[in-house]
Amino acid sequence: MVKVWQKPESLTDKVLHYCPGCTHGIIHKITAEVMDELGIREETIGVAPVGCSVLAYNYFNCDMQQAAHGRAPAVATGIKRVHPDKPVFTYQGDGDLASIGAAEIVHAAARGEKITTVFVNNAIYGMTGGQMAPTSLEKQVTTTSPYGRDLDHAGHPIKVSEMLSTLPGAVYIERVSVHDVPHILKAKKAIKKAFEYQLEGKGFTLVEVLSTCPTNWGIDPVESLDWLKDNMLPYYPLGNFRSPEKEGK
Amino acid sequence: MGKTLMKGNEAIGEAAIQAGCRYFFGYPITPQNEIPAYLARRLPKEDGVFLQAESEVSAINMVYGAAGAGARVMTSSSSPGISLKTEGISYIAGAQLPCVIVNIVRGGPGLGGIQPAQSDYFQAVKGGGHGDYRVVVLAPSTVQELVDLTMDAFEIADYYRNPVMILGDGILGQMMEPVEFKPLNKRDSKEKTWATTGMKDREQNVINSLHMDPEGLENHNLDLQEKYAEITDKEAKSESYKTEDADIVIAAYGTTSRICRTAIDQLREEGIKVGMIRPITLWPFPADAFEEVVDSASKFLTVEMSLGQMVEDVKLAIDGRKPVEFYGRTGGMIPSVEEVKEKVKELVGGEK
């Protein structure tokens, strides 16, 4: 019998704790597949965040450090400076990266820290139970924006990829989505590129992945994919914001 | 090796290098800026890394990452900066990572001032961050001791897999004294097989302080307590000065102990029997040294550049058996020899 598919070696056998329909599992899988394809699993050191993916160290089958809320890019910086030849990545959600850890990600990018960040944006706080995130959309209802996000009161959702793209140290920034198979394949390609640029020592790389949160959005998994497509894509346009080719690096 | 005249803060930087530290992450704050400045010059020449972080919070988390990756690593700051680092220190203690943290204390609370103080004692020895954890706290009183204790700190940190803090003050950081760099007093530390270096040829290593199962977290804490008990048993260190026949025993550490020493010498000339216990480790607190004199002394006096912090540990060590008095100045004010003498005389007179 021909084996047509197998679980990536870069994932452990542990059962994921994510809610039904959440796309963290897909993002874990494509990240792990990239590590397999590049043959870097045994060298890689990952940093897990605080938030839904706090247990990422249980799932990625490589050396891992768990960081305090928002501090993953600083922890990754410490690791990378000690092991400049090893691939180092952070896996962070939007509360972790765009709110409490905004300074850490901005400065890691500004320094051109040679790490890769997989940034999962589902426009809400998941782990703590559906509060407003810095990425929550206008009028989006959450437990802490019960009447819908009011821009006049809570400010505007942060476009992280666009913001970081203004920094010369950020050599590769791309926003992708995982709401259907073609987009999942594109997302994987982007994550692979980010790791490749890191391995080439080019600078800071980040892939923003638009993701779903059926539990806290309060809609079923299939509708969540549509909600992402209909609501997140217009505000968070997909595409490449920065690449070494564009910058002639 | 001969003696070199060095500024306290720079001596700390050189001691770190001599101890094999090759990574430093920090953020500027007065009065300890000569430490990062010195290491910014020196570390690149030793194939090391000096990196100025965007904040104290980032700096301590860079330390966490580097320590987890197996390196000898240090950060330094002063009081308000250490407050910001306490989040990271709790995580480092929880994940059992070795590192050295220097606090060149200035007056507080809040932004306080930039003059020397000892008012971070509680924060240093009682925690500062959240959770049941301990940091080994070393209190040098001379520039030579800044060197010796900084070098020891790396060995203690590696041996116990625990953060170690050097608690100095603005005077020690800024003063110049002749120092000698002696060979590192190496300990028989285990290899860092737990470090995240890439998992080739072994199982996955995870550096973590999250324990979702309460029983697991309690067990983790009980394990930490066992380690802290061992440290208390083996590492408590102090210096006793003229305590053999002392009627009054002063307790003072760091810069304040130097002032008290002069006061003691002058009081002895006046026939007043006074001595001093100088804690060198503030945690673990050297309670045994107090035990030795608790019967022979009639009174204890704690002198601090704070309004009364270490005095609580002295009282715990004395456990109500003898009176423990306190004298302190704070906010950057330094107790004078005269003030200490006056306080001792008041205590002697009070007995008549």
Side-chain angles (χ1 to χ4, degrees):
Chain A
M1 207 162 26
V2 181
K3 196 186 264 184
V4 292
W5 185 86
Q6 66 177 8
K7 186 179 67 61
E9 216 184 326
S10 296
L11 283 184
T12 65
D13 289 331
K14 296 224 171 69
V15 177
L16 301 180
H17 71 279
Y18 299 111
C19 299
C22 163
T23 42
H24 260 305
I26 294 168
I27 305 164
H28 275 27
K29 196 190 82 171
I30 57 179
T31 305
E33 283 176 353
V34 163
M35 286 160 64
D36 279 11
E37 287 169 21
L38 294 173
I40 56 172
R41 180 179 73 88
E42 294 186 324
E43 300 295 316
T44 299
I45 303 157
V47 183
V50 167
C52 286
S53 44
V54 67
L55 299 174
Y57 54 81
N58 279 336
Y59 309 136
F60 287 110
N61 187 18
C62 63
D63 274 5
M64 294 287 292
Q65 292 199 22
Q66 202 285 315
H69 202 188
R71 319 297 178 219
V75 172
T77 297
I79 299 168
K80 187 72 182 189
R81 296 297 176 124
V82 173
H83 298 296
D85 300 330
K86 308 253 160 106
V88 176
F89 75 97
T90 71
Y91 187 101
Q92 301 179 258
D94 44 31
D96 189 71
L97 181 141
S99 191
I100 194 168
E104 280 78 4
I105 199 68
V106 165
H107 287 273
R111 283 192 302 271
E113 210 61 59
K114 295 173 186 66
I115 60 172
T116 296
T117 293
V118 178
F119 167 46
V120 181
N121 177 2
N122 60 11
I124 203 161
Y125 279 78
M127 175 64 92
T128 45
Q131 296 83 3
M132 187 183 73
T135 48
S136 294
L137 298 169
E138 183 180 8
K139 298 191 177 125
Q140 189 177 334
V141 173
T142 72
T143 63
T144 51
S145 56
Y147 309 112
R149 181 175 184 155
D150 173 3
L151 299 188
D152 190 46
H153 170 72
H156 296 258
I158 298 176
K159 296 182 177 185
V160 168
S161 290
E162 286 85 337
M163 179 177 75
L164 295 180
S165 292
T166 64
L167 301 167
V171 298
Y172 180 73
I173 305 277
E174 183 140 340
R175 184 183 287 124
V176 297
S177 177
V178 288
H179 65 277
D180 61 25
V181 173
H183 283 91
I184 292 170
L185 295 176
K186 278 186 194 164
K188 182 179 162 186
K189 220 169 141 187
I191 293 171
K192 193 169 184 179
K193 266 193 192 170
F195 271 96
E196 282 170 342
Y197 291 133
Q198 181 191 166
L199 293 171
E200 290 165 19
K202 292 208 187 293
F204 177 79
T205 54
L206 177 139
V207 178
E208 176 174 349
V209 187
L210 301 184
S211 176
T212 62
C213 184
T215 299
N216 289 303
W217 290 354
I219 40 184
D220 77 38
V222 177
E223 282 173 28
S224 291
L225 297 170
D226 290 335
W227 193 90
L228 186 164
K229 200 167 62 178
D230 298 341
N231 296 281
M232 291 182 76
L233 291 186
Y235 189 80
Y236 296 115
L238 304 184
N240 177 263
F241 294 89
R242 214 173 166 96
S243 73
E245 284 75 22
K246 279 188 194 166
E247 321 301 325
K249 284 191 182 177
Chain B
M1 264 190 273
K3 288 201 170 184
T4 322
L5 187 65
M6 279 189 100
K7 194 175 197 177
N9 283 335
E10 297 193 330
I12 293 171
E14 184 57 32
I17 289 173
Q18 299 287 331
C21 169
R22 291 293 176 272
Y23 299 89
F24 179 92
F25 304 95
Y27 186 80
I29 180 169
T30 307
Q32 60 79 55
N33 290 321
E34 295 84 357
I35 302 173
Y38 185 85
L39 289 168
R41 289 198 302 274
R42 284 281 279 116
L43 275 171
K45 292 178 180 168
E46 299 287 339
D47 290 327
V49 174
F50 164 87
L51 188 62
Q52 184 169 314
E54 65 271 23
S55 68
E56 285 90 347
V57 176
S58 272
I60 193 71
N61 282 283
M62 290 173 186
V63 167
Y64 175 104
R72 275 206 163 170
V73 54
M74 183 170 91
T75 188
S76 65
S77 194
S78 181
S79 310
I82 294 292
S83 294
L84 286 170
K85 285 182 200 284
T86 51
E87 174 198 69
I89 296 172
S90 166
Y91 277 74
I92 289 170
Q96 301 202 71
L97 297 177
C99 70
V100 175
I101 301 148
V102 181
N103 183 3
I104 300 298
V105 182
R106 64 191 236 184
L111 203 45
I114 58 167
Q115 300 299 324
Q118 294 179 320
S119 44
D120 294 359
Y121 180 92
F122 282 157
Q123 187 193 49
V125 308
K126 309 290 182 195
H130 57 282
D132 279 322
Y133 77 92
R134 292 291 192 175
V135 170
V136 177
V137 183
L138 307 178
S141 67
T142 62
V143 179
Q144 182 64 55
E145 259 191 345
L146 282 179
V147 166
D148 297 342
L149 293 179
T150 298
M151 289 177 73
D152 272 352
F154 285 97
E155 289 293 318
I156 295 169
D158 274 359
Y159 189 81
Y160 293 104
R161 286 184 61 184
N162 208 70
V164 178
M165 181 178 282
I166 304 288
L167 196 73
D169 63 62
I171 296 178
L172 282 172
Q174 297 296 324
M175 68 163 49
M176 291 186 86
E177 284 183 322
V179 292
E180 189 180 1
F181 290 89
K182 298 161 209 159
L184 187 63
N185 192 8
K186 277 195 165 252
R187 288 175 184 236
D188 190 17
S189 297
K190 290 188 188 114
E191 258 190 75
K192 295 180 178 179
T193 52
W194 44 264
T196 56
T197 54
M199 64 181 289
K200 201 168 190 157
D201 304 325
R202 60 161 168 76
E203 295 289 296
Q204 177 196 32
N205 277 345
V206 174
I207 303 289
N208 184 24
S209 65
L210 178 67
H211 301 262
M212 293 292 278
D213 162 37
E215 202 179 340
L217 181 54
E218 186 179 52
N219 287 333
H220 171 59
N221 269 292
L222 292 174
D223 287 347
L224 288 177
Q225 290 301 322
E226 250 179 60
K227 175 169 83 173
Y228 300 150
E230 188 190 346
I231 297 174
T232 303
D233 193 37
K234 292 182 180 164
E235 304 298 335
K237 201 171 164 188
S238 65
E239 181 193 35
S240 292
Y241 183 66
K242 298 185 179 176
T243 52
E244 299 80 11
D245 62 342
D247 183 37
I248 308 273
V249 173
I250 293 175
Y253 69 97
T255 295
T256 310
S257 71
R258 298 171 68 141
I259 296 158
C260 291
R261 188 181 292 253
T262 306
I264 288 165
D265 291 345
Q266 292 180 10
L267 287 164
R268 284 264 170 186
E269 278 172 23
E270 294 178 36
I272 297 170
K273 288 184 175 175
V274 53
M276 174 170 64
I277 294 170
R278 174 173 76 89
I280 296 171
T281 55
L282 299 180
W283 192 87
F285 191 73
D288 285 354
F290 290 88
E291 201 59 44
E292 277 175 28
V293 296
V294 72
D295 291 333
S296 55
S298 70
K299 274 183 185 168
F300 290 81
L301 168 66
T302 307
V303 183
E304 299 177 58
M305 290 195 288
S306 81
L307 292 182
Q309 299 196 14
M310 184 177 76
V311 62
E312 294 188 5
D313 282 337
V314 175
K315 281 185 178 173
L316 281 173
I318 302 302
D319 201 16
R321 288 170 290 178
K322 293 286 165 67
V324 177
E325 303 286 336
F326 174 75
Y327 183 76
R329 300 292 301 270
T330 194
M333 295 302 291
I334 301 156
S336 70
V337 171
E338 287 310 314
E339 286 166 16
V340 175
K341 280 166 70 180
E342 203 178 310
K343 182 71 188 179
V344 171
K345 282 179 184 169
E346 184 190 308
L347 295 180
V348 175
E351 272 192 323
K352 282 174 189 168

